[in-house]
Amino acid sequence: MDGWNRREVGLVATAAALVFSRVFGLSLVLPNFRTHFEGVFAVEAVWIGLAFGAYGLTMALMQLPAGLLSDRIGRKPLLVTSSLLFVAGSVMAAFADSVGVLIAARLVQGLGAISSVAMAAVGEGCDSARAKEYQVKRDQFCGVLAEVGLSPHV
């Protein structure tokens, strides 16, 4: 990449990987989420819909507070903490033995969705004159990750 230093490349790649992991994980479960969990928990579709939407709810509600908190404590500590929350929620969801636990797990996963903080870290850590170029490279990197990740599944 012309004129990029190692730090910038690492920062853009890391932010893209963090955001991609959340989106990719959600995309993998989307097609069979309802049918699978209706069979596992024997509950009405509304409860499964609530479990699916819980992630998006906490993700949306936490974007602004996460950004403000990262302004106070720094981007890196919040990125690490959020990633741990996402992993914890994923483990909870994997071992959920009731729809209530699944809903709680999805709420925790949503707390770990930190795209606004990842993008702020890229914006601050890279040359502002080339900010648009960084956004394009980040999106291209996410596209490459999606292609590599999805190709065995298609």
Side-chain angles (χ1 to χ4, degrees), residues 44 57 62 65 73-74 97 102-103 117 125 134 140-141 151:
E44 295 178 23
L57 176 68
M62 291 308 297
I73 67 170
D97 58 356
L102 181 63
I103 291 169
V117 177
Y134 294 123
Q140 288 174 341
F141 187 75
S151 57

Side-chain angles (χ1 to χ4, degrees), residues 132-149:
K132 190 66 173 173
E133 182 183 350
Y134 294 123
Q135 291 172 348
V136 169
K137 293 297 181 191
R138 178 200 67 223
D139 293 344
Q140 288 174 341
F141 187 75
C142 281
V144 168
L145 288 175
E147 184 63 32
V148 170

Side-chain angles (χ1 to χ4, degrees), residues 116-130:
S116 63
V117 177
M119 296 310 105
V122 169
E124 291 174 352
C126 298
D127 179 15
S128 63
R130 295 188 304 182

Side-chain angles (χ1 to χ4, degrees), residues 12-38:
V12 170
T14 301
L18 285 172
V19 172
F20 171 79
S21 67
R22 274 70 169 173
V23 174
F24 183 66
L26 184 64
S27 299
L28 281 178
V29 301
L30 179 61
N32 297 315
F33 194 87
R34 190 188 110 214
T35 54
H36 174 75
F37 285 111
E38 277 182 336

